[in-house]
Amino acid sequence: MQKLLPLLLFLLALGYLGINFVGLPPLLVLENIVLAATYAALGIALILRRSKTTLGITALVASFNAGRVSRSIWSPTTGVGGLAAEHAPLLLYLIIVAVLAVYSLLREK
């Protein structure tokens, strides 16, 4: 279980880097690169020195990002977004990462 969360974070970072090759706007590419670096750094931190702080930051970042992604799926002003189907798996993945981080945080001594 301790290796699962870093693995998920590294896969998430790779996904954020890989999606940039579909021709996204420059600011979205920059945002994706920053998110990829953040998730990779958190994965490295969890491997090198697992701590409550790192787990808490991971839970907060994944939860915040899930909230941002959810706006691509549903918005109170526009309803279902045009890219809802494409963002739904990412939302589920981010929720899983956040829940695993919180679960690990609660189990940490």
Side-chain angles (χ1 to χ4, degrees), residues 63-85:
S63 298
F64 176 79
N65 197 8
R68 287 186 43 85
V69 169
S70 73
R71 298 278 301 186
S72 298
I73 296 172
W74 172 262
S75 171
T77 56
T78 60
V80 177
L83 296 174

Side-chain angles (χ1 to χ4, degrees), residues 2-7 9-10 40-51 54:
Q2 287 194 356
K3 294 180 182 178
L4 178 62
L5 188 55
L7 175 65
L9 290 171
F10 289 132
L42 288 169
I44 291 169
L46 286 174
I47 288 173
L48 295 179
R49 186 173 165 263
R50 191 175 186 91
S51 70
T54 306

